[in-house]
Structure formats: structure tokens, C-alpha cells
Amino acid sequence: MAGTPAQARTRDYVMSQMKAWGLETEARTYDVWMPHPTEVHVWRVGQGTDTRELSLAEPPIEGDSTTTLPQYPTVNGYSGEGDVTGDIVYVNYGLIEDYAVLDSLGVSVKGSIVVARYGRSFRGIKAREAEKHGAAALLIYSDPQDDGYVRGDVYPDGPMRPAGGVQRGSILNMNGDPSTPGYGSVSGTRRTPADQMAIPHIPVVPISYGNAAELLRDVRGTAIPSTWQGGLGFRYHLGPGPVRARVVVHDDRARPTVIKQIFDTFGVIRGSEFPEEIVMIGAHRDAWGPGTADNVSGTVSVLEAARAVADALRAGKRPKRTIIFATWDAEEWGLIGSTEYVEDDSLRLMRDAVAYLNQDVAAQGPRFGGGGSPSLRATLRDIARLVPDPNGKGSVYAEWRRQAAVPDTAEPPMGDPGGGSDFAGFYNHLGIPIADWGFGGAGGVYHSQYDDYNWMARFGDPGYAYHATAAKISAAMVLRLANADVLPYDYVEYARTMRRYLPALEKSITDRKWSNVSTLAVRASIDRLEQAALAFAQTRDAALAGNPSVDVLRRTNRALLQVERSLTRLSGLRTRPWFRNLIYAADENNGYANVVFPSVTEAIRAGDAALTSRELVDLAARFESAARALGSAREPLVARR
Ligand SMILES: [Zn+2]
């Protein structure tokens, strides 16, 4: 748990391992505003004597001794404080559209304790919407339809969430320490006072579906829309009431201890030819419980890759670029460790970072998935072709294709960089190309005490072969990027990916009937990016056949680093200045979903035609400048022929 002494121990463990393998190590400490709960209670308030307190802790599971260990309170990180009582209202997933339905049915949540199910949006958005609509408190539960018995046998008979399982998690709707927005939380820095921070103000508590059933069973009032029925064994009703609840959350925000120390670690192998250029891979080291999948699996992938690259170094194979193996603290509270680091070291990263690779839940099943910037997707597919799949029937790539069931010429789909993990600071804030991958599977122990060794050994990855495979991909990815003569970004695929987004963008403009808003300039600039990328690839292949000098390569690579940096702007998105990348961003109304061309998309959503036109012109200019960067990267290679 971030902010506890345990995190100094995991820091020391990671550093001592890396030191023992011969890496240089560094730790960075940040002082972060992070209230830890001192009291969390929920009561079902009945008429007269049947008021009773719910047992919130996750009960021990027979045969799994880890579940008997002390556990962190069931609380949502950055919940507000309070002691409130009110009628219960069931709000489905607590989405913006769910509150619109409640409005249309004449059901108000003002002063109520609202109960929402997890899923379909980031929990921080659920908290924001509940507060916006006047709820007194929010309880979020995992419905059995989403990751419980409706999906499969529950733990310990199967991998799904049992009746007592709870999904903890942060409800902060920003990245990084809310008291130091946009700059590093170094010791002694100035801070936004708590009453001005962008944090939730109502108590928000995650509960099990066992407890949700106790609260929801006897709720009556308005009938639900039919799609709002979940997997609990009774008919759901909206309320309000007659069941009432009391929710109490208190924390240490009034004490000096509200500032917690967090610790990031770095293991460094210096490059031989381009030592200033950095390839970084990282994983978060904190968790809500034992965190075997989330994120011991990612941390060991990074550690094991470090060990392998260090072995190669001892055998005389020093990578050409510098590789940094990082572990982050306080990811679970809002990507805090990585964000504070990125803000603290932004100048060096903007100048020298080649790529950031992320490992968050590297292995909890047999299904490979990957994603990131379109510039790195071809490299990840290449590496997946080289690494054998644990099923023994070929490469990770072959199995990935088989499971994705894509036709012969199509590539398996890959995820866009939205939000939700430590790549955000690198990608959304600084425009550094990122990639991530991992092996997923069915499970219902996310952010629970049951995400532990026994669950992993029985259901997630018995034998740990998928852990080892994720680590092989990590080692191969960092070495491929660190040793390439010319950085292997694929800007042809990048430009083609961009072009595929245009029809949807054009449709949303047509839907607005804005006949004078045109995407022609953006379309033309993407064409030019593609042409520049094709020309670059051709020149590169020809030049590499003739052994170009290190100086030529250095000049080309320095120019290549500017291609995706060109697609950011320092002032950021109008709605969210921290988000500088203009290609992808997390959807501000969902948190997990992704928006493409966010500056333009948000202008369209705002219904502002003039702004949309200005943003389209701005975006086109940035694609033009990315194309020019590719031209500059090509020049040194042309000159030497
Ligand atoms: Zn995680």
C-alpha cells in the first residue's frame, strides 16, 4: 500500500536485486497529499431495532492463508469525509446517461445514499456524477453479472468474485498528486490547499455484492428500466427507500501525516553508442492488497527483463542506448509515482526518451493483448513473433491471431493509449511513444484481498509460464529499441491509423450540420505524413545496407524523436491542460474509454463550430510539423549516399 512502511521495503528489495545484477540504481522520493482512512462504516438503517452495521472487510477463504492477513480498509482512494444518512437510490452504473434516465423518471438522488454497480466507466466518474447530482454518499459494488457467479464459479471454486469480495480503487479524476498539479511533489514544494483541490467531497465506499444485496433487496419505489436488472436474486427497484443507509468515512487529512512519502526506483544500464537516448520500461509496485496480478506480475516482468539484460551485459553485450528499468509507487491512487517523476524530469524525458513501455497486470491468464502508440505496434508484433507461447503451439503472435480470429491479412486489434496506467504521464503529458502488453483471463479478484498467490497459482497462471513469457517480451522489446541503428518507429502505420479515424470525425461534423467546418487540411496533412514516412522508410533501408556512420545515425534518430513530440502542444487540451497529446486522451466523461483527436472531438461536443475549425487547423499544422520532422530524419541518410 502506497504511503506505508511496506513500500520502503519493496523499494529496497527491488534496488538490492538490481544492484546485485550490476545495474546502477537510483530512488526518487516524492511527498504526496494522500489521506489514509481512519474509519469506514456502513449501516443498513431500518425502522426501529433492525438497524445493523455491515461487515465491510473481505472474509477469509478456507485453504488460502493470505486471506487471513491484515487487510487495507475497503475504501475508495480520495473519498470525501463525512457521516451521512439517507434513503437508498439504485443508479445502475452511475453513468451520465443513467442520471438522465432517473431525471426522466422523476427520481431525484438529492440527499440520498446512491448505490451504483462497477463497470462501464472509471469509478472516479461515478463519484463525480453522484456528487454533481446531490447525492450524500456513493456506495459502489461489483454486481455478480459483471464479475461474479453469473460469469463463472467464484473463488475458491473458480476465479470469479465471491459474495464477500470488494473492488477497492481510487476515485481521483486527475493524474498525480492533487496538491501539485503539473509539477513534481518534491519535498518542501508549494501546494494547493485541500479546499481548492480537484478531489471528491462526498464519502464513497466500495462494497461486496453480499452487502449490496442487503441494501437493495427491500428497496421499492419506482420500477427499474429493464436493462438495469443485475445478477442478484431479486427484482431491483430504484427507490428512494424505504431502506436507508448511514455511511461514515474519516481519514487523516487534518493531520500532518496526510503527506505521505512515496518511492520510485530506477535501475540503469548505460548505452555504448547513444548513451543519452533512453528506453524505459516500468511497472507499479503498489497494490490494494497482495496484488499478485496487479501488479506483482508487472513488477517481476520488469525485474526479470533487467536481470536478463544485465546477464547479456556481463557477457560483453552492452546495449547501444541507455535502458532504465523503473518501478512506480502510488499508481493505484492516481498514477501518482509515475506522474510526479514525469513532471519532475520532463525536460530530459522530452529531449531523450525513445519509448516508455508499461507492464500493468502482465499475466493473469492465457490471452495476449497489446497496444500503445501506432508507431510501436509493428515492433511489438515483431517481438511477439519471436517469443514462443506457453501453449507450445507456436509464437505468442500466432496464438494472439488465433484467439483474435482475424482474417488472413488483418493484424490482431491493439489498444489505443487511453488512461488508467503509468504510461499516461509519458504519452498524454509529454508525447513519448508508449507500448504495453500482458496476458489476461477471466477473473473477479481485481483490487481485492483475493488477488493473491493462491488465486494465481490455481487459476491465473498455474506454473507461471505466462509471467515468464511477458518478461521475455519485455527484455526483447527493450533490447530491440535500445540496439536499433535507426529507431524502429513505423510512421506509415501511424499515418494510416490516423486516416481511419477521419470518417467518424467527419460524420460527427455532418451530424452538427456545420457545412463550413472542413477536415480537408487534416486529411491532406495526414497524407503528407504518410508520404514522408514512406520516403523515410525507403531511404533508411537503402542507407542501412551501406553501414552509415554513428554520427549520421545520431542525427537521424534525434530528428525521429521529434515526430510524436510534434503532435503535442504545450498549452494542452482546453478542458485539461495537463493533456498535451492531441492524438489520444482518456474520455473526460468515461475515464477508461479513449477519445481520438481530443482537441477537435471536445470542440465538437461543446457544439462550437468556430472552435472546431480552429482546432482542425491547429491539428493539421501539427501533422505537417511531424511530417517535416520525418524529412529532417531522412536528410542525413540521403546526404551520405
Ligand atoms: Zn495496476
Side-chain angles (χ1 to χ4, degrees), residues 284 294-295 331-332 360-361 420-421 447:
H284 72 85
D294 187 7
N295 190 30
E331 186 269 354
E332 295 292 4
D360 192 355
V361 189
S421 195
H447 290 182

Side-chain angles (χ1 to χ4, degrees), residues 326-547:
T327 72
W328 312 114
D329 204 348
E331 186 269 354
E332 295 292 4
W333 287 74
L335 322 182
I336 295 178
S338 59
T339 300
E340 297 313 315
Y341 165 70
V342 162
E343 291 172 352
D344 190 23
D345 212 7
S346 61
L347 295 179
R348 178 168 76 132
L349 290 170
M350 274 195 282
R351 194 183 58 223
D352 296 328
V354 163
Y356 172 72
L357 311 175
N358 197 52
Q359 287 288 272
D360 192 355
V361 189
Q364 62 169 358
R367 266 204 320 273
F368 183 78
S373 170
S375 59
L376 289 177
R377 291 178 190 176
T379 303
L380 182 54
R381 287 194 298 265
D382 264 10
I383 298 299
R385 283 188 190 95
L386 299 176
V387 176
D389 191 87
N391 73 2
K393 290 188 254 170
S395 68
V396 167
Y397 178 77
E399 180 61 17
W400 183 17
R401 286 194 66 95
R402 200 184 63 72
Q403 290 180 4
V406 286
D408 287 348
T409 55
E411 294 293 356
M414 293 171 85
D416 299 330
S421 195
D422 291 308
F423 55 77
F426 296 87
Y427 189 78
N428 300 110
H429 193 50
L430 300 185
I432 294 162
I434 63 115
D436 66 349
W437 59 89
F439 291 91
V445 297
Y446 175 59
H447 290 182
S448 152
Q449 186 74 4
Y450 309 141
D451 175 8
D452 69 0
Y453 174 79
N454 191 64
W455 181 91
M456 184 62 80
R458 287 188 57 191
F459 303 111
D461 186 13
Y464 285 78
Y466 289 93
H467 280 68
T469 303
K472 285 176 191 167
I473 296 171
S474 293
M477 278 294 287
V478 295
L479 287 172
R480 172 68 62 93
L481 290 164
N483 285 327
D485 287 327
V486 174
L487 291 167
Y489 306 125
D490 188 338
Y491 287 113
V492 177
E493 177 165 356
Y494 194 100
R496 290 176 180 166
T497 306
M498 296 300 114
R499 187 179 295 118
R500 281 202 299 275
Y501 299 135
L502 289 176
L505 189 72
E506 283 155 359
K507 181 178 181 305
S508 60
I509 291 169
T510 315
D511 288 351
R512 289 269 181 186
K513 304 195 168 46
W514 290 341
S515 51
N516 56 344
V517 176
S518 164
T519 58
L520 279 179
V522 169
R523 193 172 273 283
S525 67
I526 291 173
D527 289 348
R528 262 186 292 278
L529 180 64
E530 185 186 12
Q531 280 147 20
L534 285 165
F536 175 79
Q538 203 175 30
T539 307
R540 173 199 61 204
D541 294 347
L544 283 178
N547 277 323

